[in-house]
Amino acid sequence: MSVRTNIDEVTSNVPGEEGGPREFGISTIAVHAGARPDPVTGARQTPIYQTTSFVFDDSEHAAELFNLQTFGYVYSRMTNPTVSVFEERIAQLEGGRGAVAAASGHAAQFLAAVSLMEAGDEFISSRNLYGGSLTQFGVSFPKLGWKCHFVDPTDPENFEQAMTDRVKFIFCEGVANPGGIILDIERISEVANKHGVLLIVDNTLASPYLLRPFEWGADLVIHSTTKFIGGHGNTMGGILIESGNIDWFRNDKYPGMSKPDNAYHGLTFAETFGDFGFTMRTRMVALRDYGATLYPTAAWNLLQGVETLPLRMQRHCDNAQAVAEWLEKHPKVNWVSYPGLKSSQFYELGQKYLPRGKGGVFTFGIKGGFDAGVKLIDCVELHSHLANIGDTRSLILHPASTTHRQLTDEQRESAGAGPDVVRLSVGIEDVEDIIADLEQALAQT
Ligand SMILES: *Cc1c(COP(=O)(O)O)cnc(C)c1O
């Protein structure tokens, strides 16, 4: 289960400055948290437990497991030791209490929504989202009776304006896709708190190396681990992390957490499991019933990526900063939206929330609009034209003709995906090579 494991044991043996246990840095956590040498074989690398089920000691043990009276592994739809290591590692990187992994980022978003809402409930979301999330929230969720109010997130007051009695949470991307927008999540969390609803931050674009939303008042953090966490463009995955600071009894908005659950003999999740009650309920109710499980081999692939997350993120940021500065001076470029540039309206927020670097994903506007955007994409050689971000490779996309194509003109414009917008996910190659490729392609537009 996703409870504290080895890094705490190590911590207590390596003294910290005040004589207390040492707090390890983020690069150490990225390599070690949640894993220990295999107790049977001594294998140093986390094994892939490619099994569906786990043998019970005896009938009494089985009964205790099913009643949630003891921790242990039963069936890999809910729990698996390889997946647990991954969950624990991301929880610690985010400074959270527990985490549930899922088959994809969208699966993690669904698990959060289904755990917090009944049919007829509502939520408020930033309108600056990954295109697939706009469709999930705006088209598919309403079929389940969940209503999303989309707002312009750059003024936190807009979340306040959209609040209703049926709202259960506010959702936003702290650093917003398709790029360059940074939200004032501390102020947004104040609105959520005032109304007794949760703040969920999708931290995919920043990763915990750049931003830890719990430090600014978020209650739940979501990742598409398909992106920077895995980092190599080879594995789909998602994760939902809980802060450990949620008071489920402050109002009656979340009966699933604060009232007895008959399927588990009347236990109350928030009471029995305390600060990781939401993780337990998401796993033992939502994951159990909807089955959007992360595969053990996928968890292992993602763990390989996580080990180098801090190294990769720093390189993504350094390269992106250099490419943004170069593009800003280019005669065929109208504008560059990167918070590391003084010209960005999000420069100040970037200084506050992202001191280590402003991320690897951003947009720019090409002179010549839609046609020039399409031409540029067709002329790049080193850059890959595809619908992903956060790969080691440099990626390029023209949102208006791809990811945001199903939206109306107005929706596209408001999501920051107008006809001239080109999105880059700057990779970790040599920055001179990245710039040379853009230079030759821009020359042909
Ligand atoms: C990709 C992405 C998602 C969806 O994740 P999948 O793993 O593709 O399901 C959600 N949010 C953001 C910010 C993303 O980039």
Side-chain angles (χ1 to χ4, degrees):
M1 294 272 156
S2 200
V3 288
R4 294 290 178 220
T5 46
N6 84 316
I7 203 152
D8 288 353
E9 293 160 23
V10 178
T11 304
S12 52
N13 291 328
V14 181
E17 266 154 37
E18 317 264 289
R22 183 175 176 78
E23 279 203 19
F24 285 117
I26 194 152
S27 299
T28 308
I29 294 172
V31 173
H32 289 281
R36 65 178 83 192
D38 183 60
V40 177
T41 63
R44 179 61 269 207
Q45 183 53 277
T46 298
I48 306 176
Y49 289 94
Q50 193 61 55
T51 182
T52 56
S53 332
F54 301 84
V55 177
F56 308 121
D57 296 344
D58 52 33
S59 321
E60 197 185 317
H61 179 225
E64 285 174 356
L65 283 167
F66 278 94
N67 288 342
L68 303 184
Q69 286 158 343
T70 189
F71 292 112
Y73 297 101
V74 173
Y75 189 59
S76 289
R77 181 165 6 97
M78 280 85 81
T79 51
N80 173 282
T82 312
V83 178
S84 296
V85 173
F86 176 63
E87 291 169 335
E88 180 58 26
R89 188 157 310 166
I90 303 299
Q92 290 201 31
L93 281 171
E94 284 288 0
R97 180 64 180 93
V100 181
S104 67
H106 268 16
Q109 288 173 186
F110 175 78
L111 291 175
V114 80
S115 296
L116 294 171
M117 288 192 291
E118 305 293 325
D121 281 342
E122 304 174 6
F123 65 107
I124 307 172
S125 175
S126 158
R127 69 182 189 187
N128 291 93
L129 295 182
Y130 172 72
S133 301
L134 289 173
T135 314
Q136 186 188 45
F137 293 177
V139 180
S140 289
F141 279 8
K143 294 182 183 166
L144 303 172
W146 302 330
K147 180 168 183 190
C148 177
H149 303 271
F150 287 108
V151 301
D152 172 358
T154 54
D155 181 359
E157 178 62 23
N158 292 337
F159 291 94
E160 178 84 49
Q161 297 297 329
M163 192 61 68
T164 72
D165 284 348
R166 295 303 299 254
V167 164
K168 294 296 167 78
F169 61 88
I170 291 175
F171 187 98
C172 66
E173 295 175 8
V175 176
N177 206 330
I181 299 172
I182 297 179
L183 302 193
D184 197 342
I185 50 179
E186 188 175 26
R187 279 190 58 205
I188 299 170
S189 86
E190 285 163 14
V191 175
N193 243 327
K194 181 174 155 199
H195 293 275
V197 302
L198 302 189
L199 173 61
I200 306 179
V201 175
D202 179 338
N203 198 28
T204 301
L205 261 74
S207 91
Y209 176 71
L210 299 181
L211 174 68
R212 303 216 305 172
F214 292 142
E215 291 169 359
W216 304 101
D219 299 292
L220 301 172
V221 168
I222 282 184
H223 281 276
S224 166
T225 62
T226 312
K227 315 293 169 54
F228 288 103
I229 297 249
H232 295 72
N234 60 21
T235 304
M236 298 296 302
I239 197 160
L240 171 59
I241 310 120
E242 155 175 43
S243 69
N245 298 320
I246 305 168
D247 178 3
W248 299 100
F249 297 106
R250 70 181 153 167
N251 55 41
D252 55 9
K253 287 183 192 290
Y254 309 101
M257 290 302 301
S258 61
K259 298 266 163 20
D261 186 322
N262 291 333
Y264 286 114
H265 307 292
L267 80 74
T268 300
F269 276 92
E271 200 174 82
T272 304
F273 300 107
D275 61 359
F276 62 103
F278 186 72
T279 300
M280 286 299 289
R281 182 160 176 275
T282 301
R283 185 187 307 289
M284 292 310 180
V285 178
L287 202 55
R288 179 198 63 191
D289 293 349
Y290 296 101
T293 304
L294 185 71
Y295 199 62
T297 301
W300 191 88
N301 291 347
L302 294 168
L303 278 168
Q304 302 314 293
V306 176
E307 292 190 5
T308 57
L309 176 72
L311 289 171
R312 285 185 290 105
M313 277 324 282
Q314 193 61 59
R315 179 68 166 250
H316 281 297
C317 290
D318 295 348
N319 282 358
Q321 181 73 34
V323 172
E325 286 172 12
W326 177 82
L327 280 172
E328 194 170 42
K329 295 196 207 95
H330 198 284
K332 290 201 169 161
V333 171
N334 267 335
W335 52 266
V336 181
S337 170
Y338 187 65
L341 298 176
K342 290 238 167 68
S343 58
S344 163
Q345 85 179 89
F346 302 101
Y347 181 79
E348 299 297 330
L349 286 173
Q351 298 295 105
K352 172 174 172 182
Y353 286 105
L354 308 174
R356 285 185 162 126
K358 316 302 175 227
V361 180
F362 68 92
T363 51
F364 66 93
I366 186 162
K367 282 192 185 145
F370 192 93
D371 294 340
V374 170
K375 178 82 181 152
L376 175 78
I377 301 274
D378 284 337
C379 290
V380 290
E381 300 288 344
L382 181 67
H383 286 75
S384 304
H385 176 210
L386 51 75
N388 191 23
I389 55 169
D391 195 324
T392 49
R393 294 153 198 82
S394 287
L395 315 175
I396 192 165
L397 186 82
H398 183 228
S401 62
T402 53
T403 48
H404 288 64
R405 130 171 244 127
Q406 282 138 3
L407 306 179
T408 63
D409 284 350
E410 198 194 4
Q411 280 175 321
R412 264 198 290 275
E413 205 65 58
S414 74
D420 65 330
V421 176
V422 177
R423 184 184 75 187
L424 292 180
S425 175
V426 181
I428 62 172
E429 304 99 331
D430 289 291
V431 70
E432 297 80 6
D433 295 332
I434 299 171
I435 289 177
D437 189 39
L438 292 172
E439 180 149 47
Q440 63 81 21
L442 277 169
Q444 297 181 61
T445 64

